Amino acid sequence: MPSHVVTCPSCGFANHPSCSFCIRCGTDLPAAELVADPLAPEGAVAEADPSAASAERLRAVLDELGHPAREIPRGWRVKVPVGEQRAQRVYIQFAGRDADGDDLIAFYTVCGPVDEQRALELLRCNAKLAFGAFSLRTIQQREFIVLGANQLAATADADELRKLLQHIARTGDSMEVHLGGADEDLF
């Protein structure tokens, strides 16, 4: 069985080759064009990029919504209105594949810098969320509190993607205000 892994440049964790960010610390990982999948049969190779159909489906939904979107590595940054005077940046990236080989779409928004004293508060909030969870993520070598959720690309329809995007934006913006954070343009 192939033993290829993608080692995180920040913490050294050995990640599955389909991961776009480190499972341990959240640092973005370098994209691999073709990698051996340690969960696949001997000699099988998995693409690190999403299928064209998954990328087209997501792009069509973003176009339909009409929110300003900018391409970033492996995805898009979308500015989602959350009130009359507010908008929240939501990052949408392909997060590799699940154990069955299906493309995953990761949605996340930055709520503020890491504040260890609020960790328990965030864990309690997770139990009340309809979608996603609060977690820590290292972005450009800085730690942030983020709200994120994953979606299977193949089964995501426009309504699900729209609801998930709105939920992540509204809930993330609310927590950003609560934490005293400010919008940060990371890409």
Side-chain angles (χ1 to χ4, degrees):
M1 176 181 292
S3 61
H4 297 272
V5 295
V6 178
T7 303
C8 175
S10 181
C11 72
F13 186 76
N15 292 275
H16 186 273
S18 66
C19 292
S20 62
F21 55 87
C22 179
I23 299 300
R24 180 183 289 160
C25 73
T27 297
D28 287 330
L29 296 173
E33 291 187 22
L34 291 178
V35 294
D37 183 346
L39 302 177
E42 183 70 35
V45 176
E47 294 181 35
D49 292 327
S51 70
S54 296
E56 286 178 33
R57 179 182 296 114
L58 182 55
R59 180 76 245 178
V61 169
L62 292 175
D63 289 343
E64 178 186 320
L65 292 173
H67 301 321
R70 187 176 100 189
E71 286 197 41
I72 60 171
R74 297 186 208 112
W76 296 272
R77 183 193 75 192
V78 182
K79 192 172 182 181
V80 181
V82 292
E84 290 182 31
Q85 301 293 322
R86 295 190 61 82
Q88 185 72 11
R89 289 182 185 94
V90 177
Y91 300 89
I92 305 170
Q93 294 180 299
F94 287 96
R97 295 191 169 92
D98 68 4
D100 294 327
D102 296 317
D103 290 333
L104 291 174
I105 304 169
F107 293 75
Y108 68 94
T109 189
V110 176
C111 301
V114 169
D115 179 351
E116 292 181 23
Q117 294 178 343
R118 299 200 182 211
L120 286 176
E121 178 183 353
L122 290 171
L123 288 174
R124 288 184 185 106
C125 286
N126 281 339
K128 299 174 186 175
L129 295 175
F131 301 106
F134 290 104
S135 63
L136 306 180
R137 186 163 183 180
T138 303
I139 304 169
Q140 297 180 354
Q141 300 170 344
R142 293 173 47 207
E143 279 199 309
F144 293 95
I145 295 168
V146 300
L147 173 63
N150 289 337
Q151 169 70 47
L152 286 172
T155 61
D157 64 27
D159 286 335
E160 284 179 354
L161 293 173
R162 186 178 304 107
K163 286 177 187 175
L164 185 55
L165 184 63
Q166 289 294 327
H167 174 77
I168 294 294
R170 280 192 213 112
T171 306
D173 181 66
S174 177
M175 185 56 72
E176 179 182 85
V177 169
H178 179 71
L179 296 174
D183 286 336
E184 298 210 31
D185 190 5
L186 301 171
F187 291 100

